[in-house]
């Protein structure tokens, strides 16, 4: 018989080792969690798969060159499982998954190098042999994950999933969450696929009216990025008499407008946005065709961040022009009324730069004296500091005298910003770049065109018309795209010349 003290000692020892085992297991699990994010997706009771496990199973190996046309596709459940898995992850986990997918399941670089060497060795062979090796090399450059993307696009909701996934990729890249060239390559591959899936022939042009489904009207309101919709009465006005709203849709994303264009039907080209988006009298009017001579494109908004870089807006404008010409054969004028995002920020940067360099050329001496007089400052750097503060807060709009004094200065500065400030030879302003690529003419700058707080903050209340002379748009577009030539009117050029003369550029 074992004595009681020995039994107690043995029990204590067993308890110690049991607790130690539990502790060690817990520590190992904690370490594992740091090394590998664990998935919330459960495919069977009690089964939780890791990120690596999911990717290894759903990203199938690239078929050999000989069997590329004969290999059966992976089961649809693979795509569905990956979609559920990805949606279950937090933001940082999604970033890690995409980094792993792009790095570990991309191109077989070793195989590509071997085929590239083989291609060099076959240059003296017959043409058929060279072409076959080139085709093999081309096929070997296909990333493994491209197959997964293609298969996802074929399941229900797959295209929308991939559009949203690319939005996540763009956010990772823009936020510097990853500088990996593999991530950029994944983004480029997906963008190329989306450009094919959303080609012109697969898009459907829809006119949005007050009779359109409520869900569509709500999305149109939510997606409006240029002039925010305030309420249901506001959206009713924007799809009512003397207004048109068009959207591109795609069969793979039912109920989702891809890009939306708002148009005002007017007698002449509008010079302010207030008369378009705040006009109350148009709600119950019957359209008089004789009063419709002009189409003013006053807002174009992309609703899908993941389709950035996929050309939709320029195609939409061309399609809408044809639609309006069919409805109003006598319509002779087509123009935008566009915001100038970034002008105020650029101007504040210029004022700060001139402050450091002790330069005062942005305004004339008389204009500086007027600013100094209104702000009770000396007509030197103190006036410059005061003006910079007025611009940053929008307070200058509350003084009729300042509004009058600053009009010529801000108009010529804005003209130079649109016409003279460049990136790689093209205009710096993204809206200007968009319309100039389409072949529009930089036609007229409009003072006090957007007096909303947003308009004042973004562009000091100035807006610009880009006019579409339909017979000239192809040549204008070619001149801009190939030779970086901006087609512009005398009004804008005159303002640019005033800026250059005053600033000694």
């Amino acid at each position: 018989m074992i004595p009681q003290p020995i039994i107690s000692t043995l029990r204590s020892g067993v308890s110690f080792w049991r607790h130690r085992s539990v502790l060690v297991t817990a520590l190992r699990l904690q370490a594992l969690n740091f090394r590998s994010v664990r998935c919330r997706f459960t495919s069977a009771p009690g089964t939780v798969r890791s990120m690596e496990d999911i990717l290894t199973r759903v990203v199938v190996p690239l078929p050999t060159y000989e069997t590329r046309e004969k290999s059966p596709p992976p089961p649809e459940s693979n795509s569905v499982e990956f979609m559920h898995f990805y949606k279950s992850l937090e933001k940082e986990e999604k970033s890690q998954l995409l980094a792993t997918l792009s790095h570990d399941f991309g191109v077989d670089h070793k195989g590509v190098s071997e085929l590239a060497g083989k291609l060099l060795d076959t240059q003296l062979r017959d043409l058929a042999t060279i072409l076959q090796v080139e085709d093999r090399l081309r096929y070997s450059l296909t990333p493994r994950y491209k197959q997964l993307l293609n298969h996802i696009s074929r399941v229900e909701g797959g295209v929308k999933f991939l559009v949203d996934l690319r939005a996540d990729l763009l956010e990772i890249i823009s936020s510097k969450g990853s500088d990996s060239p593999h991530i950029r390559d994944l983004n480029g591959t997906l963008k190329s696929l989306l450009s094919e899936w959303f080609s012109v022939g697969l898009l459907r042009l829809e006119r949005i009216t007050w009779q359109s489904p409520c869900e569509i009207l709500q999305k149109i309101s939510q997606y409006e990025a240029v002039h925010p919709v305030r309420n249901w009465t506001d959206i009713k006005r924007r799809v009512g008499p003397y207004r048109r709203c068009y959207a591109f849709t795609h069969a793979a994303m039912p109920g989702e407008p891809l890009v939306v264009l708002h148009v005002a039907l007017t007698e002449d080209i509008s010079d302010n946005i207030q008369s378009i988006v705040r006009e109350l009298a148009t709600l119950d009017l019957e359209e008089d065709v004789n009063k419709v001579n002009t189409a003013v494109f006053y807002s174009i908004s992309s609703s899908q961040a993941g389709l950035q870089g996929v050309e939709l807006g320029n195609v939409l404008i061309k399609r809408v022009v044809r639609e309006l010409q069919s409805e109003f054969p006598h319509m002779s004028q087509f123009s935008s009324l566009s915001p100038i995002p970034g002008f105020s920020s650029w101007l504040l940067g210029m004022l700060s730069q001139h402050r450091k360099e002790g330069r005062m050329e942005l305004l004339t001496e008389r204009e500086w004296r007027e600013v100094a007089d209104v702000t009770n400052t000396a007509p030197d750097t103190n006036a410059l500091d005061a003006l910079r503060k007025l611009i940053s807060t929008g307070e200058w709009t509350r003084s009729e005298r300042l509004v009058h004094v600053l009009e010529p200065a801000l108009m010529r500065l804005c003209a130079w910003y649109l016409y003279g400030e460049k990136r790689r030879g093209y205009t710096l302003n993204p809206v200007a770049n968009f319309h100039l690529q389409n072949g529009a003419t930089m036609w007229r700058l409009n003072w006090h065109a957007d007096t909303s707080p947003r308009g004042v903050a973004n562009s000091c209340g100035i807006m610009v018309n880009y006019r579409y002379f339909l017979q000239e748009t192809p040549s204008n577009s070619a001149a801009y795209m190939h030779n970086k030539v901006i087609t512009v009117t005398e009004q804008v050029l005159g303002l640019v010349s005033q800026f250059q003369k005053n600033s000694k550029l």
Side-chain angles (χ1 to χ4, degrees), residues 55-251:
L55 291 176
T56 301
R57 290 190 323 97
V58 302
V59 188
V60 297
L62 201 66
T64 63
Y65 179 79
E66 290 74 17
T67 63
R68 65 192 187 283
E69 302 294 342
K70 304 173 184 177
S71 297
E76 186 177 295
S77 58
N78 280 13
S79 299
V80 174
E81 183 176 5
F82 178 82
M83 291 166 62
H84 284 312
F85 178 82
Y86 184 83
K87 291 176 181 179
S88 74
L89 299 177
E90 299 295 337
K91 184 177 180 179
E92 292 183 2
E93 296 171 337
K94 288 180 178 179
S95 179
Q96 183 180 345
L97 173 65
L98 294 174
T100 304
L101 177 66
S102 63
H103 184 275
D104 296 350
F105 300 88
V107 172
D108 177 7
H109 300 293
K110 182 180 178 183
V112 168
S113 298
E114 291 174 354
L115 280 170
K118 188 174 181 179
L119 179 62
L120 290 175
D121 294 339
T122 60
Q123 291 306 299
L124 299 178
R125 301 281 299 276
D126 59 282
L127 181 59
T129 301
I130 294 174
L131 291 176
Q132 185 183 52
V133 176
E134 287 178 347
D135 195 46
R136 283 178 176 271
L137 178 58
R138 190 180 301 113
Y139 179 70
S140 70
L141 288 168
T142 304
R144 278 181 62 183
Y145 55 68
K146 186 175 181 180
Q147 284 196 116
L148 174 65
L149 302 179
N150 273 316
H151 292 310
I152 289 175
S153 72
R154 296 167 191 165
V155 305
E156 185 176 355
V159 172
K160 171 60 174 171
F161 170 83
L162 291 175
V163 169
D164 293 339
L165 186 144
R166 181 163 183 259
D168 293 341
L169 278 171
L170 291 172
E171 184 178 355
I172 291 169
I173 293 171
S174 65
S175 65
K176 306 298 182 183
S178 173
D179 290 328
S180 165
H182 295 99
I183 282 285
R184 294 184 181 276
D185 193 55
L186 172 59
N187 175 58
T189 300
L190 187 50
K191 177 187 174 183
S192 178
L193 289 173
L194 290 172
S195 296
E196 293 178 13
W197 300 333
F198 289 88
S199 60
V200 177
L202 300 176
L203 299 174
R204 178 185 174 191
L205 180 67
E206 289 190 25
R207 179 184 168 189
I208 310 300
T209 69
W210 189 241
Q211 283 68 45
S212 297
C214 181
E215 294 78 6
I216 292 291
L217 289 169
Q218 188 170 3
K219 287 180 179 179
I220 294 294
S221 302
Q222 293 172 346
Y223 292 147
E224 173 55 36
V226 184
H227 305 291
V229 175
R230 292 165 289 177
N231 48 44
W232 279 105
T233 302
D234 197 1
I235 190 62
K236 184 176 183 180
R237 182 182 307 115
R238 298 191 194 194
V239 298
Y242 296 106
R243 301 291 181 267
R244 294 293 184 272
C245 178
Y246 297 94
F248 267 150
T249 59
H250 193 280

Side-chain angles (χ1 to χ4, degrees), residues 200-388:
V200 177
L202 300 176
L203 299 174
R204 178 185 174 191
L205 180 67
E206 289 190 25
R207 179 184 168 189
I208 310 300
T209 69
W210 189 241
Q211 283 68 45
S212 297
C214 181
E215 294 78 6
I216 292 291
L217 289 169
Q218 188 170 3
K219 287 180 179 179
I220 294 294
S221 302
Q222 293 172 346
Y223 292 147
E224 173 55 36
V226 184
H227 305 291
V229 175
R230 292 165 289 177
N231 48 44
W232 279 105
T233 302
D234 197 1
I235 190 62
K236 184 176 183 180
R237 182 182 307 115
R238 298 191 194 194
V239 298
Y242 296 106
R243 301 291 181 267
R244 294 293 184 272
C245 178
Y246 297 94
F248 267 150
T249 59
H250 193 280
M253 293 174 58
E256 282 286 346
L258 307 177
V259 59
V260 182
L261 178 65
H262 289 274
V263 186
L265 306 179
T266 61
E267 293 186 78
D268 209 347
I269 298 176
S270 304
D271 62 1
N272 73 89
I273 196 63
Q274 290 80 228
S275 62
I276 293 178
V277 300
R278 299 179 189 174
E279 180 62 57
L280 300 178
T282 60
L283 270 177
D284 301 315
L285 288 179
E286 291 292 331
E287 285 182 356
D288 182 352
V289 176
N290 297 319
K291 292 183 179 180
V292 177
N293 185 53
T294 303
V296 178
F297 313 125
Y298 66 93
S299 173
I300 183 165
S301 301
S302 175
S303 61
Q304 307 294 326
L307 293 179
Q308 179 181 318
V310 178
E311 296 296 339
L312 297 177
N314 57 352
V315 179
L316 177 59
I317 286 180
K318 293 173 184 176
R319 290 277 295 274
V320 166
V321 166
R322 292 201 297 268
E323 192 80 8
L324 291 172
Q325 284 180 316
S326 175
E327 185 179 1
F328 304 100
H330 63 285
M331 183 175 284
S332 61
Q333 298 186 120
F334 299 89
S335 173
S336 78
L337 179 60
S338 300
I340 312 172
F343 170 59
S344 295
S345 298
W346 173 84
L347 176 58
L348 289 171
M350 291 287 285
L351 290 171
S352 296
Q353 178 183 334
H354 280 226
R355 174 69 173 82
K356 293 177 181 177
E357 298 173 0
R359 298 162 57 195
M360 301 291 288
E361 294 92 348
L362 293 179
L363 274 65
T364 65
E365 291 184 10
R366 185 188 66 80
E367 289 166 346
W368 279 122
R369 285 197 300 271
E370 291 279 4
V371 171
D373 187 37
V374 174
T375 58
N376 295 317
T377 57
D380 51 18
T381 55
N382 291 332
L384 195 153
D385 288 337
L387 178 60
R388 187 171 55 180

